[in-house]
Amino acid sequence: MSTTSLKTVTGALQPTIDHVITQPFLRKKKFITTTLLALLLIGTSILLIFHAYIAWTLGRPHIEPLHSNPMKSVRLPYSDVSFPSYNGKSKLDGWFIPAGGATKTVIFSHGYGGNREEEWVPLYKLARELHAQHYNVLMFDYGYVNPSNHRLMTGGIQESQELLGAIEYVKQTNGGSIYVWGFSMGAGTALQAALQQNGDISGMILDSTFLLNADTLYLNMNQIVHVPKYPSLQLVRLFFPVLNGVSLRQVPYTQVTTTSYSMPIFLIHGTEDNKAPHNLVEAMFKQQHNTSSKIWILPGAKHELLYRAEPKTYVSRTMNFLNGIESSTAAAVQPNLGIPSSL
């Protein structure tokens, strides 16, 4: 075969050879690209589902049923009570423990994931101490505790309306001085309610104050699973209103933490609180101008375990705080009998 003929044949075969070589390469490249895209899609889906699950569970905490009552636990007679939230959007159930005609009442504001019992605090023992000091006690469940309410946790937005409903209930049925004793998110809820009340709260004790903002949300997320702040925090805040019907941006965090409240406040917190840093309440205390307000930071104490850390001191300090306010109030309303001050 001549050289010219060989070149002709080779030239004719070249496209076929190139096709045979290129086709497997293109198939392999397409397979790799498709696989990478599929993995990216699966990874993104898992990421989104994971953060949606976190947002979903935040609004639906697991809550144990009631195990006892004031009579069984601490031999205190009580009555079952029901009342609406201040805005009428939910109905609340609770126990009212009377103290022999007393006109001063303490309302317990329980924390996230708890109910009116909140045994780890423990509320029954505190109710018994208050009863001994001649205070009525109202223990109630926030609306998200009762499944029949079909309501989710809102970070204090609706809960503050429910606490205001509890205050209104005491005003209408008993009157007198009303104190709020809040724990964790229940303490944060009390502060939100205090922004909206009209002088109805005589004082507040706030134990392990928790406010749901970006920093505390990420702090608690990171204890469950280590995730980067970005984009995890943004994704949870994105999904929360979609799945729970309320935006965390509605929580008035800045207003709550910078307000000087008219009533005396006793802030109690532990240095080892891994859910709400103690510097939050220390900064809040600096904003307070009521001279009867107090702060107590317990070294080494953990979130909502302050009573268990120092039970005797805890009881004596909280009771002295309440009784001090009562004494000041009573002195302020004493009628002027015209007796010379020199006597």
Side-chain angles (χ1 to χ4, degrees), residues 116-159:
R116 72 185 86 164
E117 289 182 315
E118 197 134 13
E119 295 176 333
W120 56 85
V121 170
L123 291 187
Y124 284 127
K125 289 183 179 179
L126 292 179
R128 182 178 60 194
E129 295 290 346
L130 288 166
H131 187 267
Q133 296 284 334
H134 210 58
Y135 288 86
N136 305 312
V137 178
L138 176 61
M139 306 169 71
F140 77 100
D141 294 331
Y142 280 111
Y144 64 82
V145 172
N146 188 344
S148 64
N149 278 326
H150 304 292
R151 195 178 79 66
L152 306 177
M153 188 283 301
T154 64
I157 299 167
Q158 175 59 21
E159 288 81 10

Side-chain angles (χ1 to χ4, degrees), residues 52-322:
Y53 176 74
I54 292 176
W56 188 87
T57 54
L58 274 173
R60 300 162 179 81
H62 173 72
I63 299 169
E64 292 290 326
L66 296 172
H67 295 292
S68 187
N69 60 54
M71 178 56 76
K72 289 181 181 179
S73 290
V74 286
R75 306 301 299 168
L76 292 178
Y78 71 96
S79 58
D80 293 308
V81 298
S82 296
F83 51 88
S85 62
Y86 194 72
N87 60 7
K89 291 184 177 181
S90 50
K91 178 187 174 187
L92 297 315
D93 298 313
W95 298 317
F96 186 78
I97 305 170
T103 57
K104 51 187 181 179
T105 302
V106 171
I107 301 173
F108 284 141
S109 174
H110 70 76
Y112 176 85
N115 55 31
R116 72 185 86 164
E117 289 182 315
E118 197 134 13
E119 295 176 333
W120 56 85
V121 170
L123 291 187
Y124 284 127
K125 289 183 179 179
L126 292 179
R128 182 178 60 194
E129 295 290 346
L130 288 166
H131 187 267
Q133 296 284 334
H134 210 58
Y135 288 86
N136 305 312
V137 178
L138 176 61
M139 306 169 71
F140 77 100
D141 294 331
Y142 280 111
Y144 64 82
V145 172
N146 188 344
S148 64
N149 278 326
H150 304 292
R151 195 178 79 66
L152 306 177
M153 188 283 301
T154 64
I157 299 167
Q158 175 59 21
E159 288 81 10
S160 62
Q161 291 294 308
E162 293 170 345
L163 180 54
L164 290 172
I167 292 168
E168 186 65 23
Y169 172 81
V170 173
K171 279 177 59 181
Q172 298 299 326
T173 58
N174 197 76
S177 302
I178 299 174
Y179 301 94
V180 176
W181 197 331
F183 304 87
S184 187
M185 191 175 288
T189 294
L191 288 168
Q192 292 187 54
L195 293 174
Q196 307 170 61
Q197 58 93 39
N198 296 309
D200 296 326
I201 303 175
S202 298
M204 297 194 296
I205 299 174
L206 305 178
D207 181 321
S208 306
T209 302
F210 179 92
L211 287 162
L212 194 58
N213 75 327
D215 291 333
T216 54
L217 175 58
Y218 177 70
L219 179 66
N220 285 268
M221 282 169 50
N222 213 37
Q223 291 173 32
I224 300 171
V225 58
H226 292 295
V227 290
K229 192 168 187 178
Y230 179 85
S232 292
L233 183 58
Q234 287 73 15
L235 287 173
V236 171
R237 295 179 71 176
L238 174 67
F239 282 119
F240 195 90
V242 175
L243 298 171
N244 301 319
V246 63
S247 172
L248 296 179
R249 290 180 173 85
Q250 293 175 248
V251 177
Y253 177 82
T254 302
Q255 187 181 5
V256 165
T257 54
T258 58
T259 294
S260 177
Y261 295 89
S262 59
M263 77 289 292
I265 298 176
F266 188 12
L267 294 161
I268 310 174
H269 221 90
T271 59
E272 297 303 312
D273 192 321
N274 62 355
K275 297 183 183 297
H278 62 89
N279 56 8
L280 165 71
V281 298
E282 290 174 329
M284 282 181 53
F285 182 69
K286 291 178 181 179
Q287 304 296 322
Q288 305 312 307
H289 296 102
N290 190 306
T291 55
S292 295
S293 290
K294 300 178 183 299
I295 188 169
W296 180 27
I297 304 296
L298 282 75
K302 298 182 179 180
H303 191 74
E304 281 196 281
L305 299 178
L306 308 177
Y307 173 94
R308 295 181 183 276
E310 295 190 32
K312 290 184 179 179
T313 307
Y314 187 98
V315 170
S316 65
R317 288 199 181 201
T318 51
M319 296 305 154
N320 288 340
F321 173 74
L322 293 173

